[in-house]
Amino acid sequence: MSSDGGSGVRGPYAKGVQRRQEILDRTLDVVATRGIDGASLRAIGDAIGISHAALRHYFSSREALLLEVLRQRDADSVARVSDIDGVLPRMAASADHNVSVPGLVTLYTTLLGVSVAAGNEESRAFFTERFEALRAELASQLRDEVASSGRYSDADLEQVASLIIAAFDGLQVQWLLDRRIDIAGTLRLLERVL
């Protein structure tokens, strides 16, 4: 096996890619356990043992780093629930996991909130693209579920997907404010209603 971990990429570029991934992984851990309060690039660097200059080499800003953390979280979440059948059961499983990492839920909610304010174009673009892709993916999965069930639905499945996303995100906000909220249980109720 090569020194690049088997990826086929060698040399300084491979080391840079590996270093960037290490920064993301460690930042993900820090945010998951500590949240983002006071998480400037310098504070993040201090927490993970990397200089501010090194972070700036890989990420142009705090926002860019934190958005990459969310991209990584999304990819991890998709992989974690890929073997579960059904849109809402997968989302309920994601919710069950999310309650174990409140810092990441806070990060997501905070960046989503600031994305609607002027001056946060990178976050706005991230969430706009994320919601568009997620709506399309969920609508496709819902179409497959309806077709395989032998049932018919005249519902606009893009709108149903928007409703599911809104329920998921809204329940997460409620949970951040009141840990008694059962996100997964409420999503399972939504599945029965739909």
Side-chain angles (χ1 to χ4, degrees):
M1 183 154 128
S2 65
S3 62
D4 62 7
S7 69
V9 179
R10 296 173 185 258
Y13 179 76
K15 290 178 183 172
V17 169
Q18 181 180 2
R19 182 68 167 151
R20 185 176 190 280
Q21 188 61 50
E22 288 171 5
I23 291 169
L24 275 175
D25 292 343
R26 294 183 67 202
T27 302
L28 186 70
D29 290 341
V30 167
V31 171
T33 56
R34 299 184 194 177
I36 63 165
D37 290 339
S40 65
L41 271 182
R42 195 170 309 280
I44 291 169
D46 290 346
I48 64 176
I50 296 172
S51 73
H52 180 259
L55 280 177
R56 292 288 300 199
H57 174 74
Y58 293 100
F59 301 96
S60 61
S61 67
R62 173 183 180 262
E63 181 182 24
L65 172 59
L66 295 177
L67 289 172
E68 282 303 311
V69 166
L70 288 181
R71 281 186 185 91
Q72 181 70 49
R73 179 204 74 145
D74 284 350
D76 293 348
S77 181
V78 167
R80 187 180 309 104
V81 301
S82 64
D83 61 338
I84 298 172
D85 290 330
V87 169
L88 283 159
R90 278 191 297 279
M91 294 192 85
S94 290
D96 281 336
H97 174 75
N98 285 359
V99 299
S100 71
V101 286
L104 289 175
V105 177
T106 300
L107 172 65
Y108 173 86
T109 304
T110 301
L111 290 180
L112 176 58
V114 300
S115 73
V116 299
N120 297 302
E121 283 72 25
E122 196 170 355
S123 290
R124 179 185 299 264
F126 169 82
F127 283 104
T128 300
E129 291 165 15
R130 182 183 186 278
F131 285 136
E132 184 177 332
L134 186 55
R135 273 191 309 273
E137 178 63 24
L138 292 179
S140 174
Q141 291 173 12
L142 289 167
R143 274 194 264 318
D144 291 346
E145 287 180 28
V146 169
S148 68
S149 73
R151 292 179 281 156
Y152 168 77
S153 174
D154 63 354
D156 180 327
L157 295 180
E158 291 252 343
Q159 289 180 341
V160 174
S162 289
L163 175 64
I164 292 168
I165 295 165
F168 189 91
D169 285 356
L171 288 164
Q172 284 194 137
V173 171
Q174 291 180 57
W175 176 81
L176 286 171
L177 298 169
D178 180 353
R179 299 299 162 95
R180 295 173 298 171
I181 300 299
D182 180 2
I183 303 169
T186 307
L187 289 171
R188 289 180 187 104
L189 172 62
L190 180 60
E191 179 181 23
R192 290 196 311 268
V193 169
L194 290 174

